[in-house]
Amino acid sequence: MGNMADPSILTWEDVAHRYGRKIYTFAYRLTGNPDDAADLVQEVLLKVRKGLASYTPGTFEGWLWRITRNTFLDGVRKKQRRPTSPLPDGDRSLVGASPSPDEVLASVRLSDDVQAALLKLPYDFREAVVLCDVVGLTYEEISDAADVPVGTVRSRIHRGRTMLRGLLTWPV
């Protein structure tokens, strides 16, 4: 059935357990919306489940983040095409969808100011800063996931952080 000691053979559950919260945090930081973030995690994990069979051991992180990123961008595109209907009377009963304490912690750690500033950055810069500073990927992993040269990643992170600082030091 395959050697359990081989770290390159990850089960779907391993991936969900090890990366689920990182994927959630990534999506939440890019959208500011916990529901969208939770949906994205589900969708990414489904794609991972389908893809694991044909996955050839290589850079797993790069593969996973490429799926995450593409799923996220597809979702953004779909949303732009779909008219959004406001919820009736602002009713937001999130029964059964309350985030775990871990998720709450992850979302509280970055202050509202930082989150609001992040959402003002152009997508490419926001994504690079989130993947580096929030998710903790290396420049090489981000380059792999976003399919751009490491130099581009470096300059996006640098410019993104500079923009963030500019937004955050603004007199309130």
Side-chain angles (χ1 to χ4, degrees), residues 104-144:
V104 172
L105 265 179
S107 54
V108 168
R109 261 183 221 127
L110 267 186
S111 73
D112 292 346
D113 298 351
V114 176
Q115 179 63 42
L118 265 178
L119 293 175
K120 291 186 180 127
L121 297 187
Y123 179 78
D124 286 344
F125 299 109
R126 193 187 338 160
E127 175 187 75
V129 169
V130 167
L131 285 173
C132 179
D133 297 340
V134 181
V135 177
L137 299 191
T138 65
Y139 288 1
E140 283 72 24
E141 286 164 344
I142 297 168
S143 151
D144 194 11

Side-chain angles (χ1 to χ4, degrees), residues 10-118:
L10 279 171
T11 67
W12 179 76
E13 287 79 10
D14 292 337
V15 177
H17 185 74
R18 206 176 298 177
Y19 296 100
R21 207 182 98 206
K22 276 186 173 181
I23 296 167
Y24 174 89
T25 305
F26 166 79
Y28 179 69
R29 290 302 162 206
L30 290 178
T31 61
N33 182 320
D35 298 348
D36 288 353
D39 289 348
L40 181 94
V41 174
Q42 297 299 322
E43 213 172 317
V44 169
L45 290 175
L46 278 173
K47 288 185 179 174
V48 166
R49 190 177 212 164
K50 286 192 195 115
L52 271 178
S54 59
Y55 168 71
T56 44
T59 57
F60 179 78
E61 293 256 331
W63 178 75
L64 176 71
W65 289 106
R66 208 171 307 130
I67 291 177
T68 301
R69 182 174 182 271
N70 292 340
T71 305
F72 180 82
L73 290 171
D74 287 349
V76 171
R77 280 186 211 107
K78 276 191 202 105
K79 264 217 158 55
Q80 285 165 350
R81 285 199 298 268
R82 196 174 61 215
T84 51
S85 50
L87 288 163
D89 305 326
D91 174 32
R92 300 219 61 177
S93 53
L94 279 175
V95 185
S98 56
S100 71
D102 276 355
E103 287 167 353
V104 172
L105 265 179
S107 54
V108 168
R109 261 183 221 127
L110 267 186
S111 73
D112 292 346
D113 298 351
V114 176
Q115 179 63 42
L118 265 178

